[in-house]
Amino acid sequence: MMKKFLLLLALAIPSGVVHAELTQFTANKVQRAHNLQQEDKLPEAIELLAGLNPAKAYDKAFVKRMLGVFYWQQGSIKPAIDNLADAVDSGLLKDEQAWTTQRMLADILLTDAQYKRALPHYYQLTKNIPEQQQPESLWLRIAQSHYQLGEWQPVLKAVQVYQRYVKQPDVPILSMKLGAQLQLERWKSALPTLQSLIALEPDHLAWWQQMAGLQLRLGRTKNALETLALAKRQGVALTQQNLTTLAQLYAQQGIPERAAIIYSQLDGANNDAELMSMQAMYWQQAKEWDHAISAWKIAAKLDDRHRWALAQLLLQEGQFDQALAQLDKVKQKASKAEVELARVQAYYKMKDYEKAIIHAKQANNIQSSATSKSWIKYLNQMREMDG
């Protein structure tokens, strides 16, 4: 915007030229002020012009315009706005001179966060744009002003006009468009905007996150999975939460082994019992029993609560001695009867019916159940047959 101001300043006061409609007295003073400004004597130039009180209305408007420019150069925003506004409101400035003055006023109001005051000027400027001026820059500032005011529908209208002039918009305008679409809950319309932003800034994590988030909101879980997976493949630095979501999406899509791999890549995965247990669970869903057992072993070392899951899987895989060793370490009170029944199963598979029946009776004493009674009856029969 600073470069735009400098261009406008150059248009505002052509070097060595004084407007022909000025009276001779005012023209002389204006030329003198211009020379002072060129000599970096801005305070003296302002003092000279501020002391003028031209009788002719056009002279007054011209001086106000010049004063506004000088005050802006000095960094005095309020008097710059006041003088430029007087010049514009006079209606006496001609053609492009009038247009550039109003443009300066609008831009200064925008930089001073006076968006409501700036907007009418920008809209007026769009009605008669000089040939060498860029209409898209006006619509960009209109969009910016509405965006700052939280006026989302006008933002989208301004962006739409902007895109008539610029077929491949850049990140700032697309960001405003996206913000307005999200505020208006236009989820589907926001997806193409995010695609454009990702194409422009493929390493910007927020665009990928918002894309996946919208796809999930719309129930497009497969698309969300593809989005996060593509971001990961392209080296985007996904957060731990992003990776967790990706793992969950893999599991939902029936690819638990990928979910397990993602969990194994999380920060501190090997030192976190819950992360290890999730990894183990997904390996188990994938029927990758060896991986699952290895993961459950680490989880159990970190937290005894996971020994029960480890013992059950060891039992399933016929590793009875290891299963019994883990069952000895299970601490949960609620599962005591279940632990005894698991011992029954292990000893039964090992054909040690004496120990099996001892634990079946212990299970029944802890919590009498049809299962424990059935085991006792069956094991007694087996023992009698062996005898």
Side-chain angles (χ1 to χ4, degrees):
M1 184 169 286
M2 186 64 70
K3 290 181 180 178
K4 178 63 69 176
F5 273 136
L6 294 176
L7 172 61
L8 291 172
L9 289 174
L11 292 170
I13 311 170
S15 180
V17 177
V18 174
H19 202 283
E21 294 185 28
L22 293 174
T23 61
Q24 189 60 46
F25 177 80
T26 302
N28 290 337
K29 294 293 185 181
V30 164
Q31 187 64 61
R32 174 62 182 148
H34 179 68
N35 293 339
L36 288 168
Q37 184 258 358
Q38 292 293 300
E39 296 167 6
D40 291 328
K41 298 178 179 179
L42 199 56
E44 290 91 332
I46 290 173
E47 185 179 3
L48 173 59
L49 290 177
L52 295 178
N53 187 21
K56 187 180 174 184
Y58 177 79
D59 285 22
K60 183 176 290 187
F62 191 94
V63 168
K64 290 278 188 181
R65 177 181 193 262
M66 200 168 180
L67 258 177
V69 173
F70 287 174
Y71 275 125
W72 175 81
Q73 285 183 300
Q74 190 185 53
S76 302
I77 301 300
K78 187 179 185 308
I81 290 172
D82 291 343
N83 280 278
L84 288 172
D86 287 343
V88 169
D89 292 343
S90 73
L92 296 171
L93 300 178
K94 306 298 181 183
D95 304 325
E96 191 169 352
Q97 186 187 65
W99 195 94
T100 56
T101 305
Q102 190 164 24
R103 175 61 191 273
M104 282 189 287
L105 174 59
D107 284 350
I108 295 172
L109 288 168
L110 179 64
T111 60
D112 199 43
Q114 298 189 47
Y115 308 113
K116 283 190 177 295
R117 285 187 66 187
L119 275 167
H121 293 292
Y122 282 124
Y123 278 114
Q124 182 63 35
L125 289 164
T126 64
K127 295 177 181 178
N128 183 26
I129 304 173
E131 187 174 341
Q132 68 271 31
Q133 299 295 333
Q134 297 176 326
E136 65 271 20
S137 66
L138 293 176
W139 289 104
L140 172 61
R141 282 156 177 71
I142 289 171
Q144 289 172 330
S145 299
H146 283 301
Y147 189 89
Q148 293 295 333
L149 292 168
E151 296 169 351
W152 311 119
Q153 189 62 45
V155 170
L156 293 181
K157 288 182 179 178
V159 171
Q160 185 178 25
V161 178
Y162 175 90
Q163 290 186 283
R164 292 177 194 165
Y165 299 100
V166 181
K167 301 304 180 185
Q168 295 182 323
D170 57 11
V171 170
I173 195 77
L174 287 172
S175 297
M176 287 189 286
K177 182 179 182 181
L178 175 65
Q181 288 170 328
L182 295 179
Q183 289 292 333
L184 293 169
E185 298 185 0
R186 297 186 180 180
W187 315 127
K188 290 182 180 179
S189 298
L191 291 175
T193 307
L194 279 164
Q195 287 173 342
S196 297
L197 285 164
I198 287 171
L200 290 169
E201 292 186 336
D203 296 329
H204 191 56
L205 175 60
W207 308 141
W208 295 96
Q209 289 175 321
Q210 288 178 305
M211 175 72 86
L214 284 182
Q215 288 165 333
L216 288 173
R217 182 183 285 273
L218 292 167
R220 302 178 183 179
T221 53
K222 187 175 180 180
N223 294 131
L225 169 59
E226 291 168 352
T227 294
L228 290 174
L230 179 59
K232 188 174 185 297
R233 284 198 301 273
Q234 292 190 358
V236 178
L238 296 178
T239 67
Q240 297 295 286
Q241 183 58 54
N242 296 150
L243 291 170
T244 301
T245 301
L246 177 58
Q248 292 167 348
L249 289 171
Y250 272 127
Q252 289 175 23
Q253 292 297 314
I255 318 173
E257 62 273 19
R258 292 298 307 168
I261 291 169
I262 295 296
Y263 263 93
S264 73
Q265 296 170 348
L266 293 173
D267 292 341
N270 291 332
N271 299 309
D272 187 304
E274 293 309 308
L275 292 180
M276 283 306 306
S277 68
M278 290 300 296
Q279 187 184 151
M281 181 187 71
Y282 287 132
W283 281 127
Q284 202 162 330
Q285 287 179 11
K287 299 182 180 180
E288 294 281 353
W289 309 121
D290 290 344
H291 287 308
I293 288 170
S294 296
W296 279 124
K297 283 181 177 178
I298 297 172
K301 284 181 181 178
L302 294 167
D303 190 333
D304 280 337
R305 289 179 301 170
H306 299 299
R307 293 193 182 279
W308 174 233
L310 172 58
Q312 288 177 299
L313 185 54
L314 288 167
L315 191 61
Q316 173 192 302
E317 291 305 294
Q319 298 182 33
F320 304 121
D321 287 333
Q322 288 193 51
L324 288 167
Q326 292 300 324
L327 288 170
D328 289 340
K329 299 176 183 179
V330 173
K331 304 298 184 185
Q332 296 98 317
K333 292 181 180 179
S335 63
K336 276 189 175 181
E338 288 181 307
V339 169
E340 292 301 325
L341 289 173
R343 287 193 176 101
V344 172
Q345 188 176 352
Y347 283 119
Y348 169 74
K349 290 289 187 180
M350 296 168 73
K351 297 186 178 180
D352 189 339
Y353 303 132
E354 289 296 333
K355 287 185 179 178
I357 198 168
I358 290 171
H359 288 287
K361 290 178 178 178
Q362 287 179 350
N364 195 59
N365 289 335
I366 294 168
Q367 184 177 348
S368 181
S369 67
T371 303
S372 60
K373 289 176 180 178
S374 177
W375 268 116
I376 292 170
K377 182 178 180 180
Y378 176 72
L379 290 167
N380 275 325
Q381 291 173 347
M382 292 295 293
R383 187 170 58 177
E384 288 171 5
M385 288 174 62
D386 284 351

